[in-house]
Amino acid sequence: MTREDMLAALMAQAQGSGADLITLRAIVEESSELGADRVLDRLGLDDENAQGDIDELRDLLEAWRVAKTSAWKAVVDWVVRGAMALLLIGIAMRLGMPGIFR
């Protein structure tokens, strides 16, 4: 008996017997599992390689986050270095050392 058949049988039982709490709970559990299976099938994650695919996607996402963070740190580092170089040039000019830059 497939899940679809089981769900149909539970629905018929619930309709015929007045639907007690246990029957309704079983209907909800079976229908949610069936829905989850359909979603996984539509996403292409219903085979034995699905867990490996998900793990690879998570690793790729983590690598992207690390690369993005590293890039921002590098940009901030270069901006700070540029500001410090301009500050040192300004101090040197104030102290009357323009001959250093020739």
Side-chain angles (χ1 to χ4, degrees), residues 70-80:
S70 297
W72 275 111
K73 286 181 180 180
V75 166
V76 169
D77 187 42
W78 279 102
V79 168
V80 169

Side-chain angles (χ1 to χ4, degrees), residues 7-54:
L7 184 58
L10 286 171
M11 290 294 284
Q13 179 184 354
Q15 186 177 16
S17 68
D20 59 350
L21 181 61
I22 295 172
T23 304
L24 290 176
R25 184 178 210 168
I27 290 172
V28 169
E29 288 177 2
E30 283 299 316
S31 61
S32 63
E33 285 183 24
L34 182 61
D37 287 343
R38 285 181 183 170
V39 168
L40 290 173
D41 183 45
R42 288 179 186 163
L43 291 174
L45 297 172
D46 59 337
D47 59 354
E48 63 276 353
N49 297 328
Q51 185 62 46
D53 294 341
I54 296 287

